[in-house]
Amino acid sequence: MKNIAIIMGGYSSEYKISLISGNVVYQNLDKNKYNAYRIHIFKEKWVYVDANDAEFPIDKNDFSVVIDGNRIHFDCVFNAIHGTPGEDGLMQAYFELLAIPQTACDYYQAALTFNKRDLLSVLKPYGIKTAISYYLNQGDVINVDEIIKKVGLPCFVKPNKAGSSFGISKVKSATELPIAIETAYKEDNEIIIESFLDGTEVSVGVINYKGQTTVLPITEIVSENDFFDYEAKYLGQSQEITPARISDEMIKKIGAIAKRAYEVLKMKGFSRSEFIIVDGDPHMLEMNTIPGMTTESLLPQQAAVAGITLEDLFSNAIELALENK
């Protein structure tokens, strides 16, 4: 029996969602193959949490834990942390130094994909289309006219490195722009301002399944809100239609782009990319490397349509990580 550490929590606004994702992984791991351990990673503590919610501190020197006098070492880590430090490369680099296999991509890919502006810059030469964008770092002079001249109205103001739609605003007038920028700066010190893409929004899961890069059935997102924000994602204020109501030709086209991005970046594990189709052209918004694993989350929905159970999805990730050791 392999000892599997499921890491969850994290240091960002997404920690609550991560705890739900981590618990879904914990409940669906094959108990005949794995001893699963829930590990909460917070700034103030790293702890193993047992079935009675008792906490045991993790030894950061070798990522082990002492339970009832026995020291437990882990064969593999299942990474379910959204945001920092699980999705931005920090935990990946730490586990690489300790030579402990983990289910996410490598540290460079994690850091790159977590930074929206850097990711889109790297993918552009491969013919992957994106929105027109304007970048700001905290402290930069804000020239409202210049920004609007470049990206137009309406536009989206996003923290460059944050997930779950925290800190995102849709801006419809020049007066709203400084307020939206302030909101985004609460999540990150870098901002990306993008032109509004008026089209069909879709989400594409790409995973390595049994050694093959596999594009999962595509999800179409119809938000009841102004855009696919936090409420739409997690509080049921959106319709998520899998498979998407798009032509077979478009399914092939988007699937090929998502697969190409996964392979160009030498990705491992899970990925979920968001696109908006404008006039028959898919434009990429971002790529998530630790997508939500809650029962409402998109990637588990897509896997279910593909006939892959959660148990199979999670086992596959662990087995591939162990093989890569």
Side-chain angles (χ1 to χ4, degrees):
M1 292 274 279
K2 301 278 188 197
N3 291 335
I4 310 297
I6 304 162
I7 59 171
M8 57 187 93
Y11 305 167
S12 77
S13 305
E14 296 186 83
Y15 79 91
K16 287 180 183 165
I17 298 148
S18 169
L19 291 175
I20 299 169
S21 284
N23 278 304
V24 169
V25 175
Y26 178 72
Q27 287 151 11
N28 287 280
L29 272 196
D30 186 343
K31 303 295 185 281
N32 299 317
K33 279 162 78 173
Y34 310 117
N35 298 314
Y37 294 82
R38 290 180 302 168
I39 311 289
H40 288 190
I41 305 278
F42 293 115
K43 272 185 183 157
E44 63 281 5
K45 62 183 179 183
W46 289 22
V47 291
Y48 157 62
V49 181
D50 74 7
N52 303 312
D53 288 336
E55 296 184 350
F56 301 82
I58 294 289
D59 183 341
K60 291 184 186 177
N61 294 299
D62 62 358
F63 199 70
S64 64
V65 62
V66 175
I67 306 167
D68 303 331
N70 297 318
R71 185 170 292 278
I72 308 283
H73 291 274
F74 298 105
D75 298 295
C76 182
V77 173
F78 194 106
N79 187 345
I81 296 176
H82 311 309
T84 187
E87 201 165 4
D88 58 0
L90 293 177
M91 296 304 288
Q92 288 87 339
Y94 167 73
F95 291 123
E96 186 156 322
L97 288 171
L98 293 177
I100 301 173
Q102 52 91 33
T103 55
C105 59
D106 292 335
Y107 67 90
Y108 170 73
Q109 284 78 0
L112 176 68
T113 51
F114 198 64
N115 187 313
K116 296 183 185 83
R117 66 167 82 158
D118 290 0
L119 168 73
L120 298 174
S121 308
V122 166
L123 290 176
K124 228 173 203 164
Y126 294 93
I128 294 173
K129 295 190 172 175
T130 62
I132 297 164
S133 52
Y134 188 103
Y135 303 134
L136 282 175
N137 291 333
Q138 203 151 19
D140 285 356
V141 174
I142 298 164
N143 184 328
V144 171
D145 293 339
E146 189 183 289
I147 294 168
I148 290 170
K149 190 178 172 191
K150 184 165 185 197
V151 301
L153 286 172
C155 64
F156 281 103
V157 179
K158 307 175 178 180
N160 190 34
K161 304 185 296 290
S164 290
S165 302
F166 284 111
I168 296 187
S169 306
K170 183 176 181 182
V171 170
K172 295 168 184 166
S173 68
T175 49
E176 291 171 26
L177 192 60
I179 303 157
I181 289 169
E182 218 40 58
T183 302
Y185 276 143
K186 285 181 186 141
E187 295 291 333
D188 190 19
N189 60 4
E190 296 173 3
I191 287 179
I192 182 167
I193 302 171
E194 291 182 331
S195 59
F196 170 61
L197 296 172
D198 193 5
T200 304
E201 183 165 353
V202 294
S203 184
V204 192
V206 182
I207 60 172
N208 182 332
Y209 188 66
K210 298 184 176 171
Q212 298 290 319
T213 304
T214 303
V215 181
L216 296 172
I218 295 171
T219 302
E220 178 185 346
I221 293 155
V222 185
S223 178
E224 290 170 22
N225 299 0
D226 221 4
F227 63 97
F228 194 44
D229 58 8
Y230 180 87
E231 282 78 20
K233 273 182 184 165
Y234 299 106
L235 306 179
Q237 293 173 10
S238 69
Q239 267 186 296
E240 292 152 10
I241 302 156
T242 313
R245 299 168 301 180
I246 54 178
S247 67
D248 290 349
E249 187 189 351
M250 184 54 69
I251 286 170
K252 280 196 188 109
K253 190 173 186 178
I254 296 175
I257 295 169
K259 185 178 181 189
R260 186 170 196 203
Y262 188 96
E263 290 177 338
V264 158
L265 297 171
K266 298 186 171 66
M267 286 294 296
K268 290 178 187 160
F270 304 103
S271 83
R272 201 193 72 229
S273 300
E274 319 302 333
F275 291 88
I276 292 183
I277 307 161
V278 183
D279 299 329
D281 276 325
H283 291 64
M284 191 176 197
L285 300 178
E286 62 178 354
M287 181 189 280
N288 299 284
T289 60
I290 314 279
M293 290 296 166
T294 70
T295 42
E296 285 80 44
S297 297
L298 296 172
L299 197 118
Q301 288 181 36
Q302 295 169 0
V305 172
I308 302 168
T309 64
L310 287 179
E311 184 180 292
D312 193 16
L313 189 69
F314 302 151
S315 289
N316 176 71
I318 291 166
E319 294 309 319
L320 286 172
L322 289 167
E323 273 172 35
N324 283 331
K325 189 177 175 182

